[in-house]
Amino acid sequence: MTKVVVGIFAVLTLAGVSSGGVAGADLDLASHRGEVVVVDFWASWCKPCRAELPWLAAMQAEHGAAGLTVLTVNLDRKRADADELLASLGVALPVVHDPDGKLAEAHKLAGMPTSLVYDRDGTLRATRVGFVPEDEAKFEALLVNLLKESADDDQNP
């Protein structure tokens, strides 16, 4: 059974999608209400993904206390390939394994890696396809602005 509920804070429940690390069997954005969430789609065979994952882990470490959450969706057919890459990079991020590409298909990905950025209200605010190290500062500024924007809104009702 495949169920995709689209809206502010979608809950994606897909039969056969397994997870590892911190994430549950579903990619449940509703449980992250109040956080700025980056959902990143990647695979071990994707060279830009190999460069992006450590950077995303660094963003999580640096901005997590301010409300940033990075969730990842791996598209490798063999989970061992994903686990091996994460271990070799020393990256520990939540991973939902999507070997059949059902989550990727539901999001109509245009390339790899793809990052979807949701604000604290669950509104999709940005989509980034690919990873270019020269754009790291620009992407981090977007995240910081979303974190600040949300914090400012909380203090000025």
Side-chain angles (χ1 to χ4, degrees):
M1 177 180 118
T2 301
K3 176 182 173 190
V4 179
V5 180
V6 179
I8 299 176
F9 281 111
V11 176
L12 302 173
T13 307
L14 298 167
V17 177
S18 61
S19 70
V22 179
D26 305 327
L27 180 58
D28 180 2
L29 297 181
S31 67
H32 297 284
R33 178 173 278 291
E35 301 168 13
V36 173
V37 179
V38 176
V39 178
D40 187 70
F41 291 83
W42 65 279
S44 64
W45 45 262
C46 166
K47 287 185 182 182
C49 299
R50 292 170 178 256
E52 181 188 46
L53 286 166
W55 183 79
L56 286 171
M59 291 298 94
Q60 176 66 61
E62 185 171 340
H63 301 291
L68 178 67
T69 297
V70 177
L71 305 172
T72 70
V73 179
N74 174 262
L75 300 173
D76 283 305
R77 288 239 177 241
K78 292 191 259 175
R79 181 175 174 161
D81 292 341
D83 293 343
E84 183 179 309
L85 176 63
L86 292 173
S88 73
L89 295 173
V91 170
L93 290 169
V95 179
V96 172
H97 293 278
D98 184 21
D100 297 322
K102 292 180 183 191
L103 286 171
E105 185 179 318
H107 285 88
K108 298 177 176 51
L109 298 191
M112 292 287 284
T114 293
S115 295
L116 308 174
V117 181
Y118 296 89
D119 66 17
R120 293 183 198 248
D121 293 326
T123 302
L124 180 63
R125 297 289 293 269
T127 299
R128 178 179 73 168
V129 179
F131 178 73
V132 180
E134 292 79 16
D135 292 338
E136 289 174 358
K138 182 179 176 182
F139 192 65
E140 182 176 11
L142 167 71
L143 298 176
V144 168
N145 286 337
L146 287 174
L147 290 165
K148 184 179 183 316
E149 174 184 291
S150 301
D152 288 346
D153 290 346
D154 291 343
Q155 293 184 16
N156 298 313

